[in-house]
Amino acid sequence: KHIRRGRRPLNKLIFLDRRVKEVSGSLRLTNLRPELNEVFMITRLHELFQIFEDEVEALADLNSDA
């Protein structure tokens, strides 16, 4: 039961990422709690999402793409 509830938000995040990419956007994640970051590493979702320590780092990366 706990695993099922935990997967639902991740599935929504994957769906959101697809929708953002459909309109040529890019999704960046910031300020992940250590336990959530571990989930991303275990599930290899860190390969799908751009993950940054904070908003400043994410915005700097976004501006470098422009």
Side-chain angles (χ1 to χ4, degrees):
K1 215 173 196 181
H2 179 69
I3 292 172
R4 198 175 295 161
R5 273 187 269 142
R7 284 192 351 217
R8 190 169 298 151
L10 291 177
N11 288 337
K12 287 183 180 184
L13 195 55
I14 292 167
F15 174 78
L16 177 62
D17 184 62
R18 286 184 188 146
R19 294 295 300 259
V20 168
K21 286 178 180 171
E22 286 174 6
V23 295
S24 301
S26 63
L27 185 64
R28 286 162 170 75
L29 305 177
T30 66
N31 301 319
L32 296 183
R33 293 188 321 254
E35 57 273 9
L36 185 56
N37 196 39
E38 185 177 346
V39 169
F40 274 75
M41 298 299 277
I42 291 169
T43 59
R44 299 179 69 169
L45 286 173
H46 70 285
E47 296 174 6
L48 176 64
F49 295 102
Q50 296 181 51
I51 302 172
F52 298 91
E53 290 293 319
D54 55 37
E55 293 89 353
V56 173
E57 190 179 312
L59 287 172
D61 183 72
L62 181 64
N63 290 333
S64 72
D65 285 351

